[in-house]
Amino acid sequence: MPEMVDGDWNLGYSATKLHPGADLLFGRQPSGIYCLSEPEVSFSDADKGDGDLPGEDGIRMGRDYQRSATVTFELGVDGVDRAVDGHGDDRPWAGGSLIGVWPYATRPPGLPGGGNSAPTVREPYRWSADGVDMLRQAWRADSVRDRAGGVAWLRHTTVGGRTRMLYGRPRKFAVGHSRLTRQGYTPVVCDFVSIDDRFYDATESAQDLWGLRWVGVPGRPGRPADAGPGVTDSKTTAVIKQKGRVATHPYVRVYGPCKNPKVTLVGVWEAQLSLELKSTSEYVQIDPRPFARSVMHYKSGSSSSVADKLTRSSPRLAEMVIPPGQWTAKLAYTNAAVTTTTGPRVEIRWRDAYTWW
């Protein structure tokens, strides 16, 4: 992901075998794709569960559900001075390549728009047309829309360098043709629809728990490097601080070896798996985020669903959230049958969630 400053927007998603990903920087004039006005953010109406009171006046308020947000852009694709698409002849295809824009100051020499290339009579139109072509390719999001549940992310940096993001998909795309198009400038209207109305911190927070020393884990603050076999220190309790304003979904990875691991967010939920993980390379990922909602077992390069291994005392994935505030996380487990000096390790990852940029 590129470095961002106040006013920058970034559309991103991962590549697949058949389609490229995207890391598209836009919003300010140096990118060649800039906002003509401040993007509009609108929220869909809440899904209200109100019902009439039979035989009397009034209604009974029911359970309300917040839905999505939509960000609408009015963009100018400007190829008057130099090319908007910095890829040159090296087009982004599949196999891990990314659709993106380099700011002019950092474009490698030799690419269109880099170095000392001077515009000709025909180039402004071609440069703008190529820019619209690239923007439309990024907005198609082929690698995302091919998968049910697949999402892109939209990041935005505001005053002070604060960057937050939405998960969702690019949707509407309309090109406004005018006499300026042949002069190298084309207006575009497009929007991005999010999966919910939460604005997430661009930086992912993390907390680790482990039983006996997990051999081979490098040192990090709060966890010294391994001193070798026989070391038996552990960390089965940790403090989690969610600094946002609304609840957020974490994802949890449980590495072996252990039996029946249980991760508890004290006073909120406890998730337990009825299975055995036999090695340090084997793990289960519990992912309650709206675009994932899965419990997957990873071993020897293969994966399978083990949602049925969650015990009845575990929460529904939709309810597995970290509310704002400070909470205590705990790890409990039974030793695996294998003979080892190591124990399980748990990674808890989350993004603080807010209600605005």
Side-chain angles (χ1 to χ4, degrees), residues 222-275:
R223 182 180 70 204
D226 284 300
V231 179
T232 58
D233 63 327
S234 62
K235 179 184 175 184
T236 56
T237 302
V239 173
I240 287 180
K241 296 181 180 179
Q242 209 270 78
K243 301 176 183 179
R245 293 183 180 271
V246 291
T248 188
H249 290 92
Y251 66 94
V252 179
R253 284 187 179 179
V254 182
Y255 290 83
C258 65
K259 288 181 180 178
N260 305 326
K262 179 169 70 173
V263 180
T264 303
L265 193 67
V266 178
V268 184
W269 46 260
E270 61 178 37
Q272 184 169 10
L273 293 162
S274 179
L275 51 69

Side-chain angles (χ1 to χ4, degrees), residues 20-340:
D23 192 8
L24 181 68
L25 183 68
F26 65 98
R28 294 188 304 119
Q29 192 166 0
S31 71
I33 303 175
Y34 51 82
C35 295
L36 302 178
S37 60
E38 282 297 313
E40 176 185 339
V41 181
S42 58
F43 299 94
S44 61
D45 293 338
D47 187 355
K48 297 178 284 293
D50 302 345
D52 296 338
L53 291 176
E56 58 180 301
D57 296 337
I59 61 173
R60 180 182 180 85
M61 297 294 184
R63 176 70 166 89
D64 295 347
Y65 295 92
Q66 295 291 338
R67 296 306 180 189
S68 64
T70 300
V71 185
T72 303
F73 298 96
E74 294 183 3
L75 302 175
V77 181
D78 190 346
V80 173
D81 296 320
R82 60 186 71 198
V84 181
D85 183 0
H87 294 95
D89 293 330
D90 184 19
R91 301 295 183 197
W93 303 113
S97 62
L98 297 175
I99 307 162
V101 168
W102 292 285
Y104 295 150
T106 60
R107 283 185 179 171
L111 291 179
N116 298 317
S117 60
T120 65
V121 175
R122 293 291 300 170
E123 282 181 329
Y125 170 69
R126 179 176 63 83
W127 286 346
S128 176
D130 285 350
V132 174
D133 197 11
M134 178 189 64
L135 181 61
R136 172 84 171 91
Q137 182 190 13
W139 230 256
R140 277 175 58 95
D142 289 335
S143 66
V144 172
R145 64 188 180 89
D146 274 1
R147 297 174 289 118
V151 295
W153 53 85
L154 180 68
R155 300 194 304 155
H156 177 47
T157 300
T158 58
V159 178
R162 184 172 77 185
T163 303
R164 290 177 181 168
M165 61 189 292
L166 295 169
Y167 290 107
R169 290 187 184 182
R171 286 285 168 80
K172 176 182 176 182
F173 191 94
V175 180
H177 296 284
S178 70
R179 293 181 178 178
L180 293 176
T181 296
R182 289 202 168 272
Q183 306 304 317
Y185 169 83
T186 306
V188 173
V189 176
C190 52
D191 67 22
F192 183 94
V193 179
S194 67
I195 61 172
D196 58 18
D197 66 339
R198 294 180 176 94
F199 295 74
Y200 296 92
D201 198 308
T203 302
E204 190 176 72
S205 299
Q207 186 60 271
D208 288 2
L209 302 168
W210 64 93
L212 304 180
R213 179 62 59 77
W214 200 67
V215 175
V217 175
R220 72 167 59 165
R223 182 180 70 204
D226 284 300
V231 179
T232 58
D233 63 327
S234 62
K235 179 184 175 184
T236 56
T237 302
V239 173
I240 287 180
K241 296 181 180 179
Q242 209 270 78
K243 301 176 183 179
R245 293 183 180 271
V246 291
T248 188
H249 290 92
Y251 66 94
V252 179
R253 284 187 179 179
V254 182
Y255 290 83
C258 65
K259 288 181 180 178
N260 305 326
K262 179 169 70 173
V263 180
T264 303
L265 193 67
V266 178
V268 184
W269 46 260
E270 61 178 37
Q272 184 169 10
L273 293 162
S274 179
L275 51 69
E276 180 177 4
L277 301 172
K278 297 182 178 180
S279 70
T280 56
S281 61
E282 185 180 354
Y283 70 93
V284 170
Q285 178 166 299
I286 305 173
D287 195 342
R289 293 176 295 181
F291 51 83
R293 293 281 156 84
S294 60
V295 184
M296 300 297 294
H297 179 214
Y298 295 87
K299 180 181 179 181
S300 302
S302 62
S303 62
S304 60
S305 174
V306 289
D308 60 322
K309 300 300 182 182
L310 279 174
T311 63
R312 293 178 64 87
S313 62
S314 301
R316 294 173 56 242
L317 292 183
E319 298 170 350
M320 192 173 169
V321 298
I322 303 177
Q326 180 170 302
W327 305 92
T328 300
K330 291 186 175 181
L331 167 64
Y333 61 95
T334 301
N335 288 325
V338 295
T339 301
T340 178

